[in-house]
Amino acid sequence: MSTSASTLAIAKLSSAPESAGQIAAMLDHAGIEWHNMSCHNWADSYPYCPTVRFRAAHTGTVLLLNYDVCERSIRAEATADNGAVWEDSCCELFLQLGEGYYNIECNCGGALLVGYGLDRHNRECAGSEITSAIDRWTSIGRKHIPLTYMTQKDSTNADWHWQLSLIIPVATFFHDGIARLDGLSARCNLYKCGDKLDSPHFMSWRPVGTPRPDFHQPDFFGDCKFL
């Protein structure tokens, strides 16, 4: 996957992994590059800045996502799909293929939220047949995680380093009825948040120019091209 200032070009792979836990190795082998999620939105109000990067590829019928996160604390209180995962250590993809856009959010414990709508209001949550088909892997493990801190070492704070991988079938985009991702042009943004962590933060790939935290802003999405 390559990037310009505001465009992601998502490379096509010839085959999909058998499970989400194999994504990182597959993307390594294919030479899919990492991209920083380094837009530190609302830094005056939320000064903490975790280190986050992501990479992606597709096979035509599935989208492969891999996130890499370093942060001082982690949390995964939401354990059921379509819960309040954004309050936890959470990585998110917002993707617009047509008029509306999808939000695909997953916390560090593997709980997932998928929604669709025109804006942040009146969003439609995907049914269990959609969410259960999204294979997910987290290096921490799929489990409940109360707010947890790293211990202090040599007067410096060690960070939690964790990864998340998702296999997202094309059927996830249930309002657009697309059969394949090949050649599609889209709009997107990717985020890392943690509303109820000890140091709330709202990082993104593309900057969000609103006065307060709000990721439901398609006007600030970047361009996305599936090769």
Side-chain angles (χ1 to χ4, degrees), residues 1-2 8-13 58 60 181-184 225-227:
M1 179 174 64
S2 61
L8 293 178
I10 302 181
K12 184 179 180 182
L13 303 183
H58 78 97
L181 295 167
D182 311 64
L184 289 180
K225 178 69 175 179
F226 292 89
L227 301 180

Side-chain angles (χ1 to χ4, degrees), residues 120-136:
R120 68 175 301 107
H121 305 290
N122 301 312
R123 298 195 64 74
E124 178 184 354
C125 285
S128 60
E129 73 282 1
I130 297 292
T131 58
S132 63
I134 299 175
D135 189 25
R136 74 293 298 252

Side-chain angles (χ1 to χ4, degrees), residues 9-219:
I10 302 181
K12 184 179 180 182
L13 303 183
S14 59
S15 62
E18 294 182 1
S19 67
Q22 299 174 344
I23 289 177
M26 176 172 281
L27 298 188
D28 283 344
H29 181 75
I32 303 300
E33 63 183 310
W34 290 101
H35 300 285
N36 293 324
M37 206 182 297
S38 55
C39 293
H40 190 190
N41 305 290
W42 314 288
D44 289 344
S45 299
Y46 302 95
Y48 176 63
C49 181
T51 301
V52 190
R53 58 183 185 165
F54 70 93
R55 54 186 174 173
H58 78 97
T59 68
T61 57
V62 298
L63 171 62
L64 308 175
L65 274 180
N66 184 207
Y67 300 93
D68 183 82
V69 181
C70 288
E71 58 183 331
R72 68 167 57 132
S73 63
I74 58 171
R75 179 185 190 268
E77 287 288 352
T79 56
D81 285 349
N82 288 336
V85 297
W86 65 89
E87 296 178 347
D88 297 330
S89 300
C90 186
C91 294
E92 307 180 354
L93 166 68
F94 281 41
L95 182 66
Q96 184 176 32
L97 297 169
E99 186 178 9
Y101 63 90
Y102 302 87
N103 55 301
I104 302 172
E105 312 176 16
C106 193
N107 69 15
C108 64
L112 189 73
L113 167 67
V114 178
Y116 175 86
L118 301 179
D119 53 33
R120 68 175 301 107
H121 305 290
N122 301 312
R123 298 195 64 74
E124 178 184 354
C125 285
S128 60
E129 73 282 1
I130 297 292
T131 58
S132 63
I134 299 175
D135 189 25
R136 74 293 298 252
W137 168 86
T138 165
S139 60
I140 299 174
R142 292 186 61 175
K143 58 187 177 182
H144 168 255
I145 304 169
L147 185 61
T148 306
Y149 306 87
M150 292 299 285
T151 57
Q152 196 170 47
K153 298 178 182 178
D154 300 325
S155 74
T156 61
N157 287 323
D159 282 341
W160 285 95
H161 181 199
W162 59 278
Q163 285 202 15
L164 169 69
S165 296
L166 303 173
I167 300 178
I168 304 172
V170 71
T172 304
F173 310 115
F174 56 97
H175 264 275
D176 288 277
I178 58 175
R180 298 190 63 84
L181 295 167
D182 311 64
L184 289 180
S185 294
R187 301 269 294 166
C188 72
N189 209 346
L190 293 98
Y191 308 112
K192 167 67 178 73
C193 63
D195 291 25
K196 290 192 175 181
L197 298 182
D198 64 309
S199 299
H201 52 267
F202 303 91
M203 308 299 295
S204 64
W205 166 59
R206 296 293 302 148
V208 182
T210 58
R212 293 177 298 278
D214 185 358
F215 287 159
H216 290 269
Q217 293 290 333
D219 287 346

